[in-house]
Amino acid sequence: AAAGAAHAQDRPSQEALLRFAPLGQVTLVHVTDLHAQLVPMHFREATLNVGVGEARGQVPHLTGEALLAQYRIAAGTPMAHALTNLDFERLARAYGPMGGLDRIVTLIKAIRAERPGNTIVLDGGDTLQGSWTSLQSRGADMVEALRALTAEATTGHWEFTYGAERVKELVAAMPCPFLAGNVQDNEWNEDVFEHTKTFERGGVKVAVIGQAFPYTPIANPRWLIPDWSFGIKEEALAKRVQAAREEGAQLVVLLSHNGFDVDRKLAARVPGIDVILTGHTHDALPEPLKVGDTLLVASGCHGKFISRLDLRVEGGRVAEFRHALIPVFAGSIRPDAETAALVRKLRAPHAAELARVVGRTESLLTRRGNLNGTMDDMICAALMRQRDAEVALSPGFRWGYSLLPGSDITAEDVWAHTAITYPAAYRMTMKGEQIKLILEDVADNLFNPDPYYQQGGDMVRVGGLGWTLDVAAPAGQRVQDLTLLRTGQPLEAAREYSVAGWASVNEGTEGPPIWEVVMRHLSEGPVRVEPNRHLRLKGA
Amino acid sequence: MAVVTTLPRAAGAQMQAATAEAVRKATGGKEPQEGRVTLRLPPIAENGNTVPITVTVDSPMTAADHVKTVWIFADKNPTPDVATFHFTPALGRAQADTRMRLGQTQDVIAVAQMSDGSFYMARTEVKVTIGGCGG
Amino acid sequence: MAAPIGQPRVRLPASAKAGEIIEIRTLISHVMETGNRRDQEGKTIPRDIIKRFVAKFDGQEVFAMDLATAISANPYIAFPFKVEKAGSFEFTWTNDAGEERKSTAELKLA
Ligand SMILES: [Mn+2]
Ligand SMILES: [Mn+2]
């Protein structure tokens, strides 16, 4: 029955969302991967989120029914809608949008009021990028958002795509430390940022250590941050954990933008970390995952959730914990007035542009998921048509919210999927073997059995080609039966193909910004994109 | 030239012929054992032109028992030689850091010679990728 | 004419306690021409690298390194040193043409 009728009133009330029996001396509140989303939106979770190696079939690589079964969540319920792609359109209309800075602040203020001397609010990074207003203000709007969230520490990944100088300006303006222990200058290997911030809560000394996305210079343009080197840097982290303990920390928290599977491996190898607040891979888990003595918390993205973790600490160990993954149902939560005013102020300079209708969709447009989403196929269609190319390449970014069928597409919606500082839509010719090389290279970033070789993100989205992806095959052999859809013929290694793409990490890439290409495409009429059936997955 | 040959049992995985030859030259044909040598390298190189490498060899570094020499090889570079470190007990620890160029994804190999003439070896893969797809 | 060898730079702790193992870090700017590159006219640019580094403490060689063409431009070389007494280091870099660049540094005991 629950799967049948779903109504707004089934949504939990604000009081129900906040109901939590306090425990112990310390309350951690974690939000991550906001991607500059200030207002409520719909975000469909992945249909495909394949795990490889030890992570095969393990959280967070459960989707749909498997995820609901793992956590005993009834289908059709608000939490089922928040966590999965199932019955998305109907439940989205019933339960309404999620997130919104003013709603998140209401929840945080309530928790702080309940636990004034115990609470630490931590932001997991990928906060300052992902919207037109953040691109225009180059992150400044979201620094104000961090202030409203009363965040007490943050870290980063997409923040670095504003360039080294801008990052320094933003960090100086931030209301809290920007912790990134794994970023060193590549001349003398010296720390560029703070790595640890210590707090006193409920009489317990808490050390928070920050870890930026380890592969930023590979996944994003290195030329924007030429003098900094990243990496997981496990030994350095282990030394910092030990140092924090020796200086009296009874609770050590890693504020991480490593990605969940990297953190799962790290937790088993680096002793002394009590809690890892994970980020980057956009996973949301209703319960922490315990790895040895370490609790891994995953808090989703785009403001859909905040995590609350209460901890009772004794003798430098977590004796007991209680956790809640709180879904931020915009319709259930009274917006914080002060923050609502701030959001209006931040968006005011661009309000008219943001609201401009640039197209319409008859079908659900969504991106998150290992293989092409319908939003990706729309972007690829735009690239192939507007740039006259046989093949299109669009990056497998995990950010960008979903658009329901039968809705207008605004400029804001397009920018929420394309607002980056290297948006040039290039057009070039590539040999078939080069295209395969790119696909294999990205596939190994995602499906390498060793998590430390994984960079998160989803498979590169390809337009104009059909193929089979065997996730379990060795590097270089995962991409099979590449076919040019236009001719139905196999892709020839030696033949040149016209390729249009965007978000190249190479400096000096030329072409119009991708949003112009997409908007020109949308202006030609409503789009209808069915799920891509030219991609086959094997070995999952 | 790129004929792949298998080194004696200790080497296990395969090596390019030139690399196997370079290792044989370094060890005078003796068989390097596994263990005692640790290579710290990034799993994925940020920039193939400057890949940081730290090599550490487990040794008391006393006059009687210390590491004499460590050779570094890159299996699939145009030529395998990268560096040769010459240690003395005065260092107190057998470790060295430098930065090297890797043309493609490949194994980096370290061979250490001890003062008693024994040889130890370690190898680690470093991925050199095209990059992009920021997650 | 050999490629220019830049000013060597060395970093070691200002002072150290006896028995402590410190880290000595060195940098020298040099293009490290591999001999595999070609100029615009397609002519091979000849190999020209720093090929040898030697560290001496009070005249005694404590560490040395032979560099091949795979070493990155602006060679970075770091190594540990067990402090027993104060003294002075002498570092020498030598290129293919035999040109040398030297640098000295004092080690003081805390
Ligand atoms: Mn993110
Ligand atoms: Mn990220």
Side-chain angles (χ1 to χ4, degrees), chain A residues 33 35 126 157-158 213 257 280 282, chain B residues 134-135:
Chain A
D33 294 88
H35 284 284
D126 273 359
H157 163 204
W158 276 90
F213 177 54
H257 204 90
H280 177 62
H282 291 197

Side-chain angles (χ1 to χ4, degrees), chain A residues 113-135:
Chain A
E114 181 202 339
R115 301 271 285 171
N118 312 86
T119 305
I120 307 174
V121 176
L122 298 166
D123 172 80
D126 273 359
T127 313
L128 273 56
Q129 173 276 339
S131 72
W132 185 248
T133 51
S134 56
L135 184 61

Side-chain angles (χ1 to χ4, degrees), chain B:
Chain B
M1 196 277 285
V3 170
V4 178
T5 66
T6 318
L7 245 175
R9 183 181 36 72
Q14 293 178 322
M15 245 182 227
Q16 301 295 312
T19 315
E21 179 47 32
V23 171
R24 236 194 316 277
K25 205 151 71 71
T27 65
K30 276 184 86 173
E31 205 181 283
Q33 302 162 53
E34 299 281 326
R36 295 184 66 174
V37 181
T38 308
L39 269 171
R40 189 153 20 97
L41 286 155
I44 308 177
E46 287 174 1
N47 171 3
N49 292 322
T50 55
V51 181
I53 172 172
T54 302
V55 62
T56 311
V57 187
D58 179 16
S59 159
M61 293 308 274
T62 62
D65 179 5
H66 58 271
V67 182
K68 280 184 62 175
T69 315
V70 171
W71 295 268
I72 305 293
F73 302 110
D75 188 29
K76 289 182 179 160
N77 267 357
T79 54
D81 303 295
V82 174
T84 309
F85 298 114
H86 306 279
F87 294 100
T88 69
L91 303 184
R93 190 168 66 235
Q95 180 168 310
D97 299 67
T98 190
R99 294 167 185 155
M100 65 186 171
R101 294 166 169 149
L102 294 178
Q104 58 178 296
T105 297
Q106 61 188 289
D107 276 357
V108 175
I109 293 144
V111 175
Q113 177 176 24
M114 304 302 175
S115 48
D116 66 4
S118 61
F119 290 92
Y120 290 81
M121 188 174 92
R123 63 190 306 157
T124 308
E125 183 186 66
V126 177
K127 266 184 67 181
V128 180
T129 74
I130 298 165
C133 256

